[in-house]
Amino acid sequence: SQELEQSPQSLIVQEGKNLTINCTSSKTLYGLYWYKQKYGEGLIFLMMLQKGGEEKSHEKITAKLDEKKQQSSLHITASQPSHAGIYLCGADRAGTASKLTFGTGTRLQVTL
Amino acid sequence: GAVVSQHPSWVICKSGTSVKIECRSLDFQATTMFWYRQFPKQSLMLMATSNEGSKATYEQGVEKDKFLINHASLTLSTLTVTSAHPEDSSFYICSASWGTGYGYTFGSGTRLTVV
């Protein structure tokens, strides 16, 4: 199985501050997905990265996948209370046995 | 966009009874569906993968007879927790994929409480 480690496990930031969440794999990633979850609710898709060196942005969130495809980062600029939640990175393997497994998760709190 | 509907959103059952959770893809045909379990303050743990018309593939450590998965059509997968016990209480969430590389869509989850 593919081990995905996220850091930090939890994060408290003041509104307006920037933050970065990291996701590291013990194996080369093929598809890397970032999701956000409110506790006890479903997952909200944020971004999918597939190519080494790829970078995507949506509103104030930017995700990157390194060239070796073993590490991804999620960066939030000028955080807002609406960014609070659990951020999960997930990875799958290309091919017929594709399935999505998740990292350990990062709990983000944004204070006023 | 692709929508996955999961029902019920919460359920309370007595110990020893069985509970069925449904996962439906509303506007696409899901070739593969996945079932996850999430404990409080933890990440999602993949339980099993199901393909329409074939037996589900369970992850190591997941009891096949306890968690019955049926994927009878391209739009419906069900998870039945049989003879539920308090330790089965958890948040269960399904996901559907319409093909490799096309991403995954998640249901809203089901909170199961066994009393």
Side-chain angles (χ1 to χ4, degrees):
Chain A
S1 61
Q2 188 158 256
E3 294 286 340
L4 289 174
E5 287 290 331
Q6 280 182 242
S7 62
Q9 287 188 341
S10 64
L11 192 55
I12 302 174
V13 299
Q14 192 175 23
E15 183 178 6
K17 299 294 185 183
N18 303 335
L19 65 107
T20 299
I21 299 169
N22 293 300
C23 177
T24 302
S25 172
S26 58
K27 299 180 181 179
T28 300
L29 301 169
Y30 287 91
L32 189 285
Y33 304 78
W34 283 100
Y35 291 89
K36 179 186 173 185
Q37 183 188 30
K38 293 286 188 181
Y39 179 69
E41 297 181 13
L43 274 65
I44 300 169
F45 172 75
L46 296 175
M47 268 167 277
M48 176 176 72
L49 304 167
Q50 290 184 307
K51 299 178 182 178
E54 188 173 10
E55 179 177 324
K56 289 185 178 179
S57 294
H58 178 66
E59 297 182 344
K60 295 185 178 181
I61 300 177
T62 300
K64 301 178 183 179
L65 182 62
D66 75 338
E67 289 289 345
K68 293 184 179 180
K69 297 178 66 176
Q70 285 190 284
Q71 187 166 6
S72 178
S73 62
L74 186 80
H75 184 78
I76 299 177
T77 303
S79 59
Q80 301 170 346
S82 60
H83 288 129
I86 302 167
Y87 288 82
L88 296 161
C89 67
D92 65 1
R93 295 173 293 174
T96 57
S98 183
K99 59 182 179 181
L100 186 66
T101 55
F102 284 92
T104 46
T106 297
R107 186 176 298 271
L108 171 65
Q109 292 179 256
V110 180
T111 61
L112 297 176
Chain B
V3 177
V4 171
S5 175
Q6 185 173 343
H7 293 281
S9 56
W10 62 269
V11 58
I12 301 173
C13 71
K14 291 184 177 181
S15 187
T17 62
S18 296
V19 174
K20 180 184 285 187
I21 303 170
E22 289 190 351
C23 182
R24 293 180 183 272
S25 57
L26 297 185
D27 49 4
F28 67 100
Q29 292 184 326
T31 55
T32 308
M33 287 189 173
F34 308 86
W35 287 95
Y36 295 84
R37 183 174 181 175
Q38 186 178 34
F39 292 102
K41 298 187 178 181
Q42 293 189 24
S43 186
L44 275 69
M45 180 192 76
L46 180 64
M47 298 174 66
T49 302
S50 72
N51 294 290
E52 185 263 339
S54 61
K55 291 184 178 180
T57 302
Y58 290 82
E59 294 298 304
Q60 191 173 8
V62 178
E63 298 177 62
K64 300 178 182 180
D65 297 330
K66 160 69 75 175
F67 301 101
L68 299 179
I69 293 172
N70 183 277
H71 194 158
S73 75
L74 284 171
T75 59
L76 174 64
S77 177
T78 60
L79 167 68
T80 301
V81 183
T82 62
S83 187
H85 292 287
E87 57 265 31
D88 297 325
S89 298
S90 192
F91 187 67
Y92 295 87
I93 190 166
C94 69
S95 172
S97 171
W98 57 101
T100 301
Y102 288 96
Y104 306 82
T105 302
F106 286 80
S108 54
T110 298
R111 180 158 304 284
L112 170 64
T113 302
V114 184
V115 297

